[in-house]
Amino acid sequence: TLTSTSTIAGFDIGERAATEHFAYVFTGFVRVDDDGDTTFFLTSDDGSRLLVDGAVVVDNDGDHGAVEASGTATLTAGAHAIEVDYYNDTGAASLVVEWQGPTFAREPIPGDHLLLD
């Protein structure tokens, strides 16, 4: 059951009233500066998934400790729809979203490249 919505500047699961059995869906747009292959990385405890323009790029599903998964999409410069789904079943909760492009090294996706709702 959806309990709240907000606009944020990044993929922050932050402090929650419930520490177990919760989920987040981040939706918005990511700005890509250069044409070419962009690799996305998700490190999460438990499951996560990243979609670009409606296509699954990274699938890190399942109940597990902090595990990294990655995937690559060939993107054109400009805005692309992005969605990151995350859930925590029990235990620790963590989510890190990073990317690496044709002209930059791996880093968290900068807030000035995101418009999340």
Side-chain angles (χ1 to χ4, degrees):
T1 302
L2 179 65
T3 59
S4 68
T5 64
S6 63
T7 300
I8 61 171
F11 303 98
D12 182 13
I13 60 173
E15 296 295 320
R16 299 150 315 279
T19 58
E20 296 185 337
H21 310 294
F22 66 90
Y24 283 86
V25 177
F26 300 92
T27 60
F29 294 89
V30 61
R31 188 184 82 235
V32 174
D33 292 333
D34 300 294
D35 294 349
D37 288 343
T38 302
T39 300
F40 294 89
F41 304 87
L42 286 178
T43 304
S44 63
D45 176 350
D46 289 303
S48 59
R49 182 174 75 153
L50 184 144
L51 297 84
V52 176
D53 294 331
V56 176
V57 177
V58 183
D59 188 351
N60 193 7
D61 198 15
D63 291 346
H64 50 72
V67 172
E68 178 185 291
S70 64
T72 301
T74 302
L75 302 175
T76 56
H80 295 270
I82 189 168
E83 177 179 326
V84 173
D85 304 328
Y86 169 78
Y87 79 90
N88 185 59
D89 188 15
T90 61
S94 64
L95 174 66
V96 177
V97 182
E98 299 172 296
W99 69 345
Q100 179 177 335
T103 61
F104 60 91
R106 181 176 173 171
E107 65 180 358
I109 301 175
D112 66 349
H113 281 70
L114 292 170
L115 175 59
L116 298 177
D117 44 52

